[in-house]
């Protein structure tokens, strides 16, 4: 099978862990082991999130007062290069010596007039307590959201991905049996001007939506979104919460999920699985093979 695997930023950096290179390296090594297990039997394409990392770099960029902060598209490219480097190196160590790998910084076009630019909902960066969040908001003017009781994060605009600029290059790599790491961090968001030139924009594309577009463009057989949650839950955070193990796209999309976390995953899974023969899965990184086989996580498919 051809499988697009989207690694969540929180799967690469556990909630509550320090945002350090050592912590990320340790988690990437675990992710590489799970990916290598899939790669023994299937062709894999790897996408990944960068929410915690891009937020960290954005925060660091404000520390040097003599230099204006770098825009989010540039910071996204920095975080994608950092994470891609770690994933490629650890996969190289985990896969057979003859395996060919490549990491590709990926531009993804969005619409300049996407209404998401006026409605920031995508959480990035570290988690703050309420008092810390208020200080950050006052210092930088960043909008904040309470992700969970007492846990605040910065939110940014998250326009819909429309076109993967390097899709033909990615197809060539995949056809040549190269394990390709691409569309990292949801891709670098760009728009075209009237003359057709590309320009970066101040936004972060949702990684799962971008990876879903990638999976569709590559005619993948399966699309796995691997995170730190074991399944999609209905009534999450209430005494009635319960996991969804199997669902048709229309059944799952009938429910509401938070727009900054599980919502885009469910949306991407349902859209991909609307085509007969395709399988989408959501669950924990360490359960990757079980999710593919329908024995863990949430599986979405027709029939």
């Amino acid at each position: 099978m051809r499988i697009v695997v989207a690694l969540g930023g929180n799967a690469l950096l556990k909630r509550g862990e320090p945002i350090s290179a050592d912590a990320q390296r340790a988690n990437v090594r675990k992710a590489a082991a799970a990916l290598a297990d899939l790669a023994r039997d299937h062709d894999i394409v790897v996408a990944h999130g960068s929410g915690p990392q891009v937020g960290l770099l954005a925060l660091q960029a404000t520390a040097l007062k003599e230099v204006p902060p770098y825009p989010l598209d540039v910071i996204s490219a920095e975080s994608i290069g950092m994470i891609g480097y770690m994933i490629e190196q650890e996969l190289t160590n985990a896969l057979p010596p003859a395996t060919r790998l490549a990491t590709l910084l990926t531009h993804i076009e969005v619409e300049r007039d996407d209404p998401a630019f006026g409605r920031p909902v995508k959480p990035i960066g570290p988690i703050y307590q309420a008092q810390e969040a208020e200080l950050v908001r006052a210092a930088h003017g960043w909008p904040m959201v309470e992700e969970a009781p007492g846990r605040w994060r910065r939110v940014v605009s998250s326009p819909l991905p429309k076109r993967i600029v390097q899709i033909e290059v990615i197809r060539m790599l995949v056809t040549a049996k190269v394990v390709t790491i691409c569309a990292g961090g949801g891709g670098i968001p760009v728009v075209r001007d009237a003359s057709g030139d590309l320009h970066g924009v101040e936004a972060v594309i949702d990684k799962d939506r971008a990876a879903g577009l990638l999976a569709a463009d590559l005619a993948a057989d399966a699309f796995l979104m691997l995170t730190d949650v074991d399944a999609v839950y209905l009534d999450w955070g209430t005494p009635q919460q319960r996991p969804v193990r199997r669902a048709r796209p229309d059944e799952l999309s009938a429910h509401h999920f938070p727009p900054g976390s599980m919502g885009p995953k469910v949306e991407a899974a349902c859209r991909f699985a609307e085509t007969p023969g395709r399988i989408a899965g959501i669950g924990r990184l360490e359960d990757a093979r079980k999710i593919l086989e329908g024995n863990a996580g949430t599986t979405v498919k027709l029939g």
Side-chain angles (χ1 to χ4, degrees):
M1 298 173 69
R2 177 178 292 177
I3 305 171
V4 170
V5 183
L7 302 175
N10 290 318
L12 301 176
L13 190 64
K14 306 297 184 185
R15 298 175 195 270
E17 282 186 332
I19 309 180
S20 67
D22 287 344
Q24 293 184 73
R25 172 73 72 179
N27 288 319
V28 169
R29 190 171 295 123
K30 293 176 184 176
L35 293 174
D37 179 51
L38 284 179
R40 284 203 302 267
D41 304 312
H42 307 285
D43 295 333
I44 66 168
V45 181
V46 182
H48 60 80
S50 66
Q53 295 84 356
V54 73
L56 169 67
L57 293 177
L59 194 60
Q60 290 176 337
T62 64
L64 190 60
K65 303 303 181 185
E66 297 81 6
V67 178
Y70 278 35
L72 271 178
D73 61 306
V74 175
I75 293 172
S76 290
E78 293 177 347
S79 68
I80 293 163
M82 173 180 68
I83 298 168
Y85 156 69
M86 290 186 178
I87 293 174
E88 182 173 338
Q89 190 173 82
E90 294 301 331
L91 269 178
T92 298
N93 294 336
L95 290 168
T99 306
R100 295 179 296 173
L101 298 96
T103 302
L104 182 69
L105 286 178
T106 311
H107 300 74
I108 296 187
E109 281 189 54
V110 302
E111 298 291 347
R112 187 183 295 275
D113 59 355
D114 190 309
F117 283 112
R119 191 176 62 249
V121 296
K122 176 66 176 172
I124 65 170
I127 295 170
Y128 301 98
Q129 301 301 314
Q131 189 173 2
E132 293 176 306
E134 191 54 45
L135 291 173
V136 170
R137 190 203 316 266
H140 305 298
W142 293 342
M144 309 289 286
V145 67
E146 192 173 21
E147 237 188 353
R151 296 159 65 93
W152 292 78
R153 290 178 78 189
R154 178 189 178 187
V155 287
V156 299
S157 299
S158 184
L160 293 175
K162 292 298 183 179
R163 191 174 78 87
I164 300 172
V165 176
Q166 289 95 350
I167 189 61
E168 293 303 328
V169 177
I170 296 169
R171 284 198 184 104
M172 287 192 297
L173 291 168
V174 172
T175 301
K177 300 295 184 181
V178 175
V179 176
T180 307
I181 303 159
C182 59
I188 302 165
V190 296
V191 295
R192 288 192 187 272
D193 60 21
S195 63
D197 291 340
L198 292 172
H199 302 274
V201 290
E202 191 76 359
V204 172
I205 301 172
D206 182 83
K207 168 263 307 173
D208 297 306
R209 290 186 174 123
L213 176 61
L214 174 68
D217 284 353
L218 293 177
D221 302 293
F223 172 35
L224 303 182
M225 286 165 278
L226 305 179
T227 181
D228 59 350
V229 179
D230 68 314
V232 176
Y233 279 77
L234 300 180
D235 299 321
W236 173 257
T238 73
Q240 294 76 37
Q241 73 175 35
R242 57 206 183 276
V244 178
R245 293 303 177 192
R246 292 176 181 81
R248 291 171 52 90
D250 57 336
E251 294 171 341
L252 195 58
S253 61
H255 299 278
H256 173 74
F257 298 93
S261 55
M262 192 57 73
K265 288 180 172 58
V266 169
E267 175 193 311
C270 292
R271 180 169 298 179
F272 179 79
E274 285 173 351
T275 299
R278 291 179 176 175
I279 302 168
I282 302 171
R284 295 188 305 177
L285 173 62
E286 54 266 39
D287 293 334
R289 181 176 286 274
K290 291 181 180 179
I291 296 167
L292 183 64
E293 296 169 349
N295 298 319
T298 298
T299 302
V300 186
K301 63 179 179 179
L302 289 173

